[in-house]
Amino acid sequence: MSDKPTPGIRFQRPRSLHCRLRSRHVLLAIVILCLYFYFSTHTDRIPFRKSQTPYKIQAKFPRESAAAKKLRLQRRGQVEDAFKHAWKGYKDHAWLHDEVMPVSGGQKDPFVGWAATLVDSLDSLYIMGMKEEFAEAVAALALIDFSKPNADKVPVFEVTIRYLGGLLGAWDISEHKHPILLQKATQLGEFLYKAFDTQSGLPVPYYFWKENTSGKLHGEDKVIIAQIASLSLEFIRLSQVTGDLKYAAQIQIVTDQLALTQNLTALPGMWPITANCSVEHLSFQDKTFSLGVLSDSAFEYLPKTHLLNHRTSDQYIYMYRLAFAAFSKHLFFRPSLPGNPDILMSGNMNMFANPPQLDGQFQHLACFVGGMVALGSRISNSLEELETARKLTDGCVWGYNNTPSGVMPDFAHVEPCQDAATCTWSGEGNGFKSVDDPSYRLRPEAIESVFIMYRLTADPLWLEKGWKMFEAIVKHTKTDIAHARLVNVMDENPTHEDSMESYWLAETLKYFYLLYSEPGLVSLDDFVLNTEAHPFRWR
C-alpha cells in the first residue's frame, strides 16, 4: 500500500506509534470526562453503575460469653416453639387456605385463596431449620395456580408483598435450589403485571381479573399510597432473578411519577395518605400526612429499594432524603409522658387546618419508622440519624411497657410536647391521652425496629426490651390451636378474636427468632427485607 498523500488532502503521518496511542488516550480522557459530568447529573438513569460506597449495615459484634449464648438460645427456642405451635394449628385446621381461625379451628380465605399463610411462611420455615416442613410446603405449591385466583377481586398490594415476596424470599434464602419457587414467582408476576395496564401505568389497587378486556384498566380515586408505591422491591427483584427487565421497567414508570409529584404536595417531600389514579397521571387532593394508616411501606421502600438497586440508580435514596427531611421536621415529636422519657413518636400532620396541625397519633403500624431511619442512617453514615432511630424505637417500646397487658394498642393518642427541650410531664394517668383502638393484631412493626436496632448497634439492651415484648405477646395470644388477635390490651387479661393473619408467622415471630439468632443469619449486609419480612439478596 502506498504512503503517498491523497491529492488535495493535507497529510501528516504521526511520528510514532507512541504518538498515535497518546492521541487516543487524550480523546478517551475527554470522552470519560464528558460522561462523568453527564452521569453525575443523571444518576437515576445510570445502567449497572457500581455504588461508590459499599454499605456496611450491621455492627461488629463482640465475642459472646457462654452465659449470654445459653440465655439467647433458650429464648430463641421459645420463639421457635411458638412458631411450631402456630404452624401446626394452620397445618391441622387450614392447610392450603389463607388463614387458620385460632379460636374456633376454622379457616378463611381473605387473600384470594392461594394459601397465604403457607406461602408467607416459606422462608421462615427455612430460616428456623424446619427443613421437612419447608419441603412439604414447597411441594404443595404444585397444587396452586397463580394465574387463576380463587376470587374475582385481587388486592394487588397484599398479593405482591405476601405471595410474590414470599416466593422470592424463599428462592433467595434457600440459595436458588428449588426451581418451583422461581417458576411460581414468574407465573404470579405475569398475572400481577396485567394490573399495571392503565393509561397512567400506575397499577389498579384491586384487579378484577375476570372483567379484564383488551382495553386499558380504569384507575381509581382515593387509593392508599402504599398500594401503588410499595411494589418496587418485589418487581425489581423479579427482574433481577429472571433477567426479564419488563417488571422493573413498569416500576420505573410508577417511581418517576412519585418523584415528579414528591415536592408538589401540600407537604413537600411526602405524599399524603391517599392518591388519585383515575387520570393519566398521579394527583392528590388529600392533605393528611402520616407514617401509619397503611402509608408506611411507601416510605419504608425508599431506602430498602436503594439497597437492592444501588448498582443501577440513586433515585430512591434521593427521594428518601427528601421524605426524611419532611417527616423529621413535621411528623416526629417528643411526647409529654410520665417520667419525661427522651423518646420520639411519629404523628399525623393535617394540612387542611389553618395553621397546619400535628396530631399526636400513636399507631402500631408506624413503629416500622425506627427501623427505616436506622437503615437510612447506615446509607448516609449518620450517627445523628441512628440516634433518632433509637428514640423512635424506644417510643414504641414505651407503648408496650405502659399497658396493663404489656402489649401496645393498635391506635392511641398522646400529647406532643410544646418544646421538646424543656418537656415536663404535668398531667395525670399513664400518659395515654386516649386509646382509640385497644386491639393487638399480632403486628410486627415494633419488634421489626427492635431487631434492626440490635443488628445495627450490637447493644444487648435491645435483647431485653424484645424479650419483655415477646413474653407479654405470647402469654396473651396463645390458644389451643395457634395464636389470636387481642380485643383490648388495656385489660390485664385480654380476650381473643378469632383471627391470625399470615404475617404472624412471616414477620412477627421471624423477627423475634432473628433477634435471638447469630447476627450472620439473614445478615442485613446481604439481605434486605420487604415489608412482609421476606429476605431479598442485595449483595
Side-chain angles (χ1 to χ4, degrees):
M1 179 181 291
S2 172
D3 286 336
K4 291 183 180 180
T6 304
I9 298 179
R10 187 177 179 182
F11 178 83
Q12 183 176 1
R13 181 189 301 168
R15 289 190 298 273
S16 66
L17 177 62
H18 175 72
C19 293
R20 291 190 184 98
L21 292 176
R22 184 170 62 184
S23 299
R24 292 174 182 173
H25 288 164
V26 171
L27 180 59
L28 181 60
I30 292 172
V31 171
I32 291 173
L33 189 63
C34 291
L35 288 173
Y36 170 78
F37 282 114
Y38 174 81
F39 283 135
S40 66
T41 57
H42 296 76
T43 55
D44 59 326
R45 293 292 184 273
I46 302 175
F48 308 113
R49 183 173 58 83
K50 291 185 178 180
S51 171
Q52 299 299 311
T53 305
Y55 303 119
K56 183 71 172 69
I57 304 299
Q58 294 201 163
K60 184 177 180 180
F61 281 74
R63 183 182 296 273
E64 186 178 32
S65 70
K69 181 177 181 179
K70 181 179 179 181
L71 178 61
R72 176 178 61 77
L73 292 179
Q74 286 176 347
R75 290 174 170 178
R76 190 178 76 172
Q78 291 186 49
V79 176
E80 186 177 344
D81 289 343
F83 184 96
K84 289 179 176 178
H85 175 68
W87 177 254
K88 184 178 185 300
Y90 170 73
K91 183 179 176 182
D92 290 348
H93 296 272
W95 186 248
L96 290 179
H97 289 277
D98 284 348
E99 296 175 7
V100 66
M101 301 175 72
V103 177
S104 65
Q107 66 278 136
K108 55 184 177 179
D109 294 297
F111 299 110
V112 306
W114 278 330
T117 295
L118 184 153
V119 179
D120 225 359
S121 302
L122 284 168
D123 53 63
S124 295
L125 292 167
Y126 191 91
I127 288 166
M128 294 187 187
M130 299 170 62
K131 299 301 172 61
E132 291 184 7
E133 291 84 352
F134 174 77
E136 184 179 19
V138 168
L141 293 176
L143 303 175
I144 304 173
D145 184 351
F146 287 105
S147 67
K148 294 181 180 179
N150 297 317
D152 295 343
K153 176 182 175 182
V154 177
V156 174
F157 167 68
E158 296 288 357
V159 167
T160 298
I161 64 172
R162 297 179 195 237
Y163 290 107
L164 184 57
L167 293 165
L168 291 171
W171 171 251
D172 271 350
I173 201 65
S174 63
E175 301 178 333
H176 303 173
K177 294 179 179 178
H178 301 274
I180 192 174
L181 293 170
L182 187 56
Q183 292 166 8
K184 291 298 183 178
T186 304
Q187 183 185 56
L188 179 55
E190 282 295 305
F191 175 83
L192 292 171
Y193 185 76
K194 300 172 187 175
F196 291 81
D197 188 19
T198 62
Q199 192 69 31
S200 65
L202 300 171
V204 292
Y206 298 98
Y207 178 34
F208 291 87
W209 63 287
K210 289 184 178 179
E211 300 175 9
N212 189 22
T213 65
S214 58
K216 295 288 184 181
L217 299 174
H218 296 291
E220 297 182 21
D221 290 336
K222 295 295 183 181
V223 175
I224 296 172
I225 191 67
Q227 293 175 318
I228 60 172
S230 306
L231 310 172
S232 55
L233 281 174
E234 294 80 8
F235 281 92
I236 289 174
R237 188 57 184 153
L238 184 59
S239 278
Q240 290 176 346
V241 297
T242 63
D244 190 338
L245 301 182
K246 71 179 184 181
Y247 307 110
Q250 195 64 54
I251 289 298
Q252 190 62 57
I253 294 173
V254 179
T255 303
D256 286 344
Q257 292 204 44
L258 290 167
L260 184 66
T261 59
Q262 189 173 7
N263 281 331
L264 301 178
T265 65
L267 185 58
M270 292 188 67
W271 305 284
I273 293 174
T274 61
N276 297 334
C277 304
S278 61
V279 290
E280 295 182 5
H281 54 79
L282 189 65
S283 63
F284 304 98
Q285 293 179 339
D286 194 356
K287 294 183 180 181
T288 305
F289 297 81
S290 173
L291 287 172
V293 197
L294 297 180
S295 65
D296 51 356
S297 50
F299 298 99
E300 172 193 357
Y301 268 31
L302 296 177
K304 288 185 174 182
T305 306
H306 174 72
L307 289 176
L308 186 68
N309 206 39
H310 71 282
R311 291 180 179 86
T312 302
S313 171
D314 284 338
Q315 185 178 25
Y316 286 94
I317 196 59
Y318 177 74
M319 293 166 69
Y320 173 72
R321 287 287 152 228
L322 293 176
F324 178 75
F327 43 69
S328 294
K329 182 178 180 180
H330 298 286
L331 267 63
F332 295 168
F333 67 92
R334 182 177 179 181
S336 179
L337 300 171
N340 307 311
D342 186 17
I343 59 178
L344 292 173
M345 295 178 179
S346 180
N348 288 351
M349 179 59 70
N350 181 6
M351 301 300 290
F352 286 107
N354 188 19
Q357 183 177 355
L358 174 67
D359 179 20
Q361 190 182 79
F362 185 37
Q363 298 182 58
H364 201 292
L365 271 172
C367 284
F368 82 97
V369 176
M372 176 189 69
V373 173
L375 287 176
S377 78
R378 279 294 193 258
I379 297 172
S380 61
N381 195 26
S382 171
L383 291 177
E384 181 180 359
E385 290 178 22
L386 186 60
E387 176 62 10
T388 298
R390 191 275 302 169
K391 292 181 180 180
L392 287 163
T393 306
D394 272 337
C396 291
V397 172
W398 180 92
Y400 275 80
N401 290 342
N402 288 274
T403 64
S405 65
V407 181
M408 180 180 169
D410 201 57
F411 191 114
H413 277 83
V414 295
E415 188 67 35
C417 295
Q418 296 300 313
D419 183 349
T422 59
C423 188
T424 302
W425 170 255
S426 59
E428 298 179 354
N430 60 2
F432 286 104
K433 186 177 178 180
S434 65
V435 178
D436 309 275
D437 183 349
S439 68
Y440 172 63
R441 305 186 182 189
L442 304 176
R443 294 202 191 277
E445 291 80 13
I447 189 57
E448 173 186 2
S449 289
V450 169
F451 158 73
I452 292 174
M453 287 302 302
Y454 178 61
R455 286 290 183 91
L456 269 59
T457 65
D459 185 346
L461 284 176
W462 294 110
L463 297 175
E464 302 310 313
K465 294 172 183 179
W467 189 246
K468 188 174 181 180
M469 293 164 60
F470 175 80
E471 287 189 309
I473 290 171
V474 170
K475 173 186 175 182
H476 295 300
T477 62
K478 187 175 181 180
T479 70
D480 291 340
I481 294 170
H483 293 85
R485 289 184 179 188
L486 304 177
V487 174
N488 187 350
V489 300
M490 304 310 287
D491 292 339
E492 190 172 350
N493 293 295
T495 56
H496 292 139
E497 183 181 346
D498 200 8
S499 177
M500 186 187 85
E501 287 207 43
S502 64
Y503 58 66
W504 170 247
L505 295 172
E507 296 187 74
T508 309
L509 290 179
K510 181 192 296 172
Y511 282 126
F512 277 116
Y513 185 87
L514 290 175
L515 179 63
Y516 299 104
S517 295
E518 294 76 9
L521 183 63
V522 193
S523 170
L524 299 181
D525 288 329
D526 299 315
F527 294 93
V528 60
L529 301 172
N530 85 332
T531 195
E532 197 77 3
H534 296 305
F536 301 161
R537 183 170 286 279
W538 70 272
R539 186 165 66 182

